[in-house]
Amino acid sequence: MKVRTMGRHLREGSRNITRNGWMSFASMSSVAITLFILGVFLLLALNVNHIANVVERQVEIRVFVKQDVEQSEVDKLGEKLKDLSQVESVTFIPKEEGLENFKKSFGDKAYWFEGLEKENPLSDEFVVKTKDPVETEMVAERIKNLPYVESVNYAKDMIKKLFTITTMVRNIGVAFIVALAFTAMFLIANTIKLTIVARRREIEIMKLVGATNSFIRWPFFIEGLLMGSLGSVVPIILLLVGYHYLIELVQVDLNLYFLDLLPLNPLAWQLALLLMGIGAFIGVWGSMMSVHRFLKV
Amino acid sequence: MIEMIDVWKTYPNGTNALEGINVKIEKGEFVYVVGPSGAGKSTFIKLMYREEKPTKGTILLNGFNISKLKESQIPKVRRSIGVVFQDYKLLPKLNVYENVAFAMEVVEASKKQTKPRVLEMLELVKLKNKLRSYPSELSGGEQQRVSIARALVNSPGTIIADEPTGNLDPETSWEIMRIFEEINVRGTTVVMATHNREIVNTLRKRVIAIESGRIVRDEQRGEYGYEG
């Protein structure tokens, strides 16, 4: 294709948007509205996923070492724990520190336990975190069989419930997003189809004077691309500004620090790129699908 | 040069539009295609610019065997002919100049080539004073002249016209015919389907009469031969 022709296609494609003013406006509005709803769900799903991740990461295995074991053996056990393939981190809490923590938890009543230092009833302890929290149970079972391990403690039932809930929330999120994306596609394809039906005469004439199919398609491709991307601008701005205020509201005004929302950066860029990409894709797809029907003249 | 050898056309609904057409039109000829409505005239014309495909038979057009043409080759064929319709088929949102230039844009001609050629064609159809007018601001005759200019702008060897004067009053029809006559004199083949008895009987040319899908008459300097 000649460069001049590409220039012509770009010009035609953008001019078509203004020429079919109201139709283009309708298409872009439906892109905007669906992308906005999609964006809201996306933000919601991403944050739920994020919170689920944070909660899951708090899952840990507490490994208690048998009493009266040589310090060197304890260290060896620590090495063995670190060597387990699914283990991410191992923290050693000597029994002295354990006692300190224990006393601290009683606040000003800590004096009750004065003198226990000499005959510390607590065990040395390892806190193990797994790379993937789902593997907690399996790792715990393996640790149980290591030498000098007195007992292993983790919230077995709680973990099972937690994972059922987080998987469910994630699946529902994905299903919603997929369904919304499809709805958006059909809505947009339909609106663009209307604008093309209005121009079938134009296409017919182009074919009759000897235009090739790709010559006819290009301006429509560009038009769809522009409408899709332009249509995504307003929802992106609204979502990002809205999200910015939401973070402020949650963390500054309401002091809900436990509600750990994803930070605006890099989420803003990811969301903007994703929505613009989806917008451009459905714009192009919709206009290509529709023009295809009229090329068989 | 257009040649049809034993061409049949049956539409999907079972209608036999053409039944064994054999015809040869030489370069530079001027041919009227006449016949009652529904006799197959339109199908005959549509086969020539490959809007319809024959069910059976061979059609040769300017060296292309268009009955065996691949989809991707159609644009090439269409560029070697100009088509003029009863309803003009102009783009309403483009002005006169743009409508004609459009046909050159499609074949990727440069601006430098386009401008003088479009002006030359608009001169030929005497519309140089209405370059910036839109189709809705023109009379029927003027619109048809624009569509003729568009059909001619890529210098095709053949002009195919499907009832070009069908919507025009007698006086305007004659203006249009004078243009066709002129381009034929310049060497372009003209094939015209028409219902206009007065024109056929006055401006005597070769007449091909089609009835019930067959050629029933083919004579040089023929007559219209039907009532009204």
Side-chain angles (χ1 to χ4, degrees), chain A residues 2 4-5 8 19-20 201-202 204-208 210-212 215 297, chain B residues 49 75 78-79 85 87 89-91 93-94 102 105-106 108-110 150:
Chain A
K2 293 177 185 168
R4 177 173 69 235
T5 311
R8 181 256 174 205
R19 256 189 216 150
N20 303 284
R201 191 181 167 81
E202 198 173 319
E204 191 191 340
I205 293 168
M206 288 174 93
K207 291 227 73 169
L208 287 175
T212 57
F215 186 91
V297 177
Chain B
Y49 62 90
R78 296 231 173 108
R79 288 173 192 189
F85 298 93
D87 59 354
K89 292 201 197 292
L90 298 176
L91 292 169
K93 286 173 185 162
L94 300 184
F102 182 70
E105 212 170 73
V106 160
E108 304 189 31
S110 73
R150 182 182 64 193

Side-chain angles (χ1 to χ4, degrees), chain A residues 185-186 188-190 192-193 196 217 220-221 281-295:
Chain A
M185 269 197 190
F186 283 107
I188 291 156
N190 223 40
I192 293 178
K193 201 186 285 169
I196 292 181
R217 246 184 240 125
F220 285 104
F221 177 90
F281 175 76
I282 38 193
V284 166
W285 180 80
S287 85
M288 289 296 92
M289 284 289 289
S290 318
V291 80
H292 179 78
R293 284 179 45 212
F294 299 112
L295 282 179

Side-chain angles (χ1 to χ4, degrees), chain A residues 142-204:
Chain A
R142 283 178 68 179
I143 293 174
K144 218 184 250 175
N145 297 325
L146 292 175
Y148 309 116
V149 172
E150 168 78 36
S151 67
V152 169
N153 195 354
Y154 66 99
K156 195 172 174 175
D157 293 337
M158 207 276 275
I159 285 176
K160 270 197 181 145
K161 259 185 214 152
L162 179 68
F163 284 126
T164 340
I165 291 169
T166 52
T167 353
M168 202 167 73
V169 168
R170 280 187 189 126
N171 288 345
I172 291 174
V174 169
F176 255 105
I177 285 166
V178 169
L180 267 173
F182 269 101
T183 322
M185 269 197 190
F186 283 107
L187 219 75
I188 291 156
N190 223 40
T191 329
I192 293 178
K193 201 186 285 169
L194 284 178
T195 75
I196 292 181
V197 169
R199 278 178 287 162
R200 68 186 299 176
R201 191 181 167 81
E202 198 173 319
I203 296 175
E204 191 191 340

Side-chain angles (χ1 to χ4, degrees), chain B residues 150-166:
Chain B
R150 182 182 64 193
L152 287 171
V153 78
N154 287 325
S155 346
T158 310
I159 288 282
I160 293 167
D162 194 357
E163 306 209 20
T165 60

